[in-house]
Amino acid sequence: MNKSIIAVLAVLVLGSCISDITDTLDKAQNTRGVVWNPTIAAPLVYSRLQLRDLLEEAGEIEFLKIADDGGISLVYSNHAETQTAEESIELENQNYNETFTLSTAELAELNANGTVSVTYNRELTYIAGANETDIIRFKRGDFDLSLSSTLEHDINLSFEVLGSTQNGNPFVPTLNATGPNLPNQASQVLDMDGLELDLMQGGLGHSQLVVAMKMTITKRGTNPIKPVEIISYTLDIANQNFQFMQGFFDTDNFSSAASEISLDFFASSTGGSFTLADPRIKLVFTNSLGFPVDARVLQFDGISASNTTISLNDLPEPLPVPNLSLSEIGQTKTDSFSLNKGNSNLADFINNRPADIQYELGVSGSGGTSARQWVLDTSKLAIRVDVEVPLEGTVRDYVLESVQSFDAGLESTQEIEEVLFRLYTENSFPVDIATQLYFEDSSSNTVLDSLIIGDILILPSADIDGSGKVTNPNPKTTDIVARNQTITNIQNANQIRLKAYFNTPFGPDGTTQDDVKFYDSYDVLLQLGVQAEVLLEIDLEGE
């Protein structure tokens, strides 16, 4: 005799996806009987998480700092730098030219002896704005020298730049112009790589090329010597890139350094407040500019996830940037200063939960010509900002929120009467954690259902002693039942939103909270199980 009955079957699900429930139903269609222990939910998750595991979800933390007593600090680090000296100091093109007329006596000597030498010494000003330039060592550039003459005879020009060398050798460019064609010309473009110009040979003691030009003229055959003969030279110094400079530099508005730090630890916060007992910010300056630097903070703003901005105050002005003397060419110096809640408004700055810190420094020279200065092409000022957040303080209604796509993967939900989620926790953190889970339609952000009725305290705070340190973990079992309509709503959801609420314990008066400290040894045990109760029609055969 065939009988149709409605049997209640509890299915223990051992997978990590709710869709396994329906797979189990398919396999149980011809089952004659089921033994069910309704008090047990099969474990889906067993996990013990230490604090450092949880903090890995906080984003790009430079490193976790563990104190000798096990206390933990989050450290975020960021680096910015000015332009290099090569990018900030542009060398002007230099242009020089002069025309010389041979004297009657010089023409007579050339005609009588077949040769004559004439010498001209010149102090040529090297133009560099308000700079006073002593030495320039080049890594590239064009030294373009040319001459032109009315003479129909051979001319050798020796153009010695006094005190200057190229790759250790005296710098003496030469040109040879040979007649008889007019105009009688010669030119040469020299690569300035390795050239070191000494600009201190003139009367000013800086910014002058002292040049000794020697022209040797050799008579060519019967070519005529006219009553007026001239020789002109032109020098163009262009496309200059220096490797080293010494002198005095006009460095107003030399450059600036700007950057921002993303503090992912605060980025997901959508509400509540907290106080941190001892936050710190350290600014480290690394200087390789060989002139006195005046650096000032133009901006140092902390912007929360809710777009509230608090500026960091009480920064030194000017900032303590180390200086380098002429005897320290090529060296780099470092100095720093730290801010804390005692010497600044850092407590308010950090307690604003800055998800993003934006800062900018203006940099210029501090002036003065009493001491000569220097720069390399690579010279710059760099700044490193270290934000250290020791995990010690209080939390009140602090909210973290996370949204992600979701697919329950359920089939035949009409056959599922209810699903029981059982969560067992052991919390050794000194924080109460309540949570809520929302199932949503992402196209309209409409909440279709929630898993929990009211915000349940999933993880009650561990017991702490008078110093705020945990003495015993706090265990708790939480059962959450999802019935047919909720299961249907979950199936229709394609987005899940998790909100977690954090509170450190309140004192006896119920309003004040004592600071608590987080240690590396703290952890939380999470065990999640699920069991489904389904309605299943089973065909039984028998007499």
Side-chain angles (χ1 to χ4, degrees), residues 281-293:
I281 288 183
K282 184 177 183 180
L283 276 66
V284 181
F285 302 98
T286 302
N287 185 31
S288 56
L289 294 164
F291 57 80
V293 174

Side-chain angles (χ1 to χ4, degrees), residues 426-438:
E426 290 182 2
N427 183 16
S428 68
F429 293 103
V431 176
D432 290 332
I433 305 176
T435 190
Q436 179 58 276
L437 194 66
Y438 298 98

Side-chain angles (χ1 to χ4, degrees), residues 71-388:
I72 287 185
S73 297
L74 303 183
V75 177
Y76 292 84
S77 190
N78 181 262
H79 178 270
E81 57 189 34
T82 66
Q83 293 178 312
T84 63
E86 181 179 36
E87 294 168 327
S88 300
I89 301 176
E90 182 177 356
L91 299 182
E92 299 181 35
N93 290 341
Q94 309 294 315
N95 307 108
Y96 311 99
N97 62 81
E98 190 174 355
T99 297
F100 307 98
T101 301
L102 295 180
S103 68
T104 302
E106 290 167 341
L107 292 175
E109 183 178 348
L110 173 62
N111 190 41
N113 299 329
T115 184
V116 65
S117 292
V118 292
T119 300
Y120 302 98
N121 294 324
R122 293 292 185 268
E123 293 182 349
L124 308 178
T125 300
Y126 187 92
I127 300 172
N131 291 354
E132 295 180 1
T133 312
D134 299 341
I135 296 172
I136 308 178
R137 185 183 308 130
F138 294 94
K139 59 183 180 181
R140 66 181 62 91
D142 298 326
F143 193 94
D144 186 353
L145 181 63
S146 62
L147 70 81
S148 178
S149 178
T150 60
L151 285 161
E152 299 178 50
H153 305 275
D154 298 342
I155 305 169
N156 174 267
L157 169 64
S158 171
F159 196 92
E160 181 180 5
V161 183
L162 300 185
S164 299
T165 60
Q166 187 170 32
N167 301 318
N169 300 312
F171 186 62
V172 188
T174 59
L175 291 177
N176 288 290
T178 58
N181 297 326
L182 294 178
N184 192 3
Q185 296 177 325
S187 64
Q188 182 177 199
V189 179
L190 299 175
D191 185 355
M192 295 169 63
D193 179 25
L195 172 61
E196 182 172 297
L197 289 182
D198 183 345
L199 305 174
M200 298 183 292
Q201 299 289 320
L204 289 178
H206 63 81
S207 308
Q208 290 179 311
L209 289 170
V210 176
V211 176
M213 290 177 281
K214 182 178 181 180
M215 300 178 190
T216 301
I217 306 164
T218 303
K219 187 177 180 182
R220 176 182 282 268
T222 60
N223 290 352
I225 299 175
K226 298 180 287 294
V228 178
E229 299 280 14
I230 62 173
I231 302 174
S232 300
Y233 87 92
T234 299
L235 171 62
D236 294 323
I237 301 177
N239 304 317
Q240 303 166 80
N241 291 99
F242 68 90
Q243 189 271 327
F244 166 78
M245 290 179 64
Q246 176 185 311
F248 167 72
F249 309 107
D250 178 16
T251 53
D252 288 342
N253 301 316
F254 176 79
S255 182
S256 65
S259 188
E260 61 182 290
I261 311 172
S262 295
L263 275 66
D264 296 332
F265 182 70
F266 300 127
S268 299
S269 171
T270 59
S273 64
F274 66 83
T275 62
L276 291 169
D278 188 24
R280 294 182 287 274
I281 288 183
K282 184 177 183 180
L283 276 66
V284 181
F285 302 98
T286 302
N287 185 31
S288 56
L289 294 164
F291 57 80
V293 174
D294 186 350
R296 300 172 187 272
V297 174
L298 304 180
Q299 177 192 24
F300 208 110
D301 294 339
I303 305 169
S304 70
S306 59
N307 210 32
T308 301
T309 299
I310 291 183
S311 299
L312 188 61
N313 300 326
D314 304 305
L315 293 159
E317 188 173 335
L319 298 169
V321 175
N323 291 325
L324 292 158
S325 68
L326 194 59
S327 64
E328 297 171 308
I329 292 175
Q331 297 185 29
T332 298
K333 281 187 175 180
T334 299
D335 202 353
S336 65
F337 74 91
S338 297
L339 295 175
N340 54 55
K341 65 180 182 180
N343 62 10
S344 69
N345 67 330
L346 183 58
D348 293 337
F349 181 87
I350 292 294
N351 291 334
N352 183 48
R353 307 188 305 277
D356 187 59
I357 295 177
Q358 297 179 357
Y359 66 93
E360 180 180 5
L361 271 62
V363 180
S364 64
S366 60
T369 60
S370 58
R372 305 313 276 175
Q373 305 164 1
W374 61 269
V375 289
L376 299 179
D377 53 338
T378 56
S379 294
K380 61 189 175 184
L381 174 64
I383 177 175
R384 191 181 79 243
V385 179
D386 295 332
V387 181
E388 184 172 344

Side-chain angles (χ1 to χ4, degrees), residues 412-419 482-490:
S412 304
T413 56
Q414 67 276 7
E415 297 175 340
I416 303 176
E417 185 173 87
E418 66 179 35
V419 175
R483 293 189 169 84
N484 185 264
Q485 184 57 51
T486 297
I487 295 171
T488 301
N489 293 339
I490 291 174

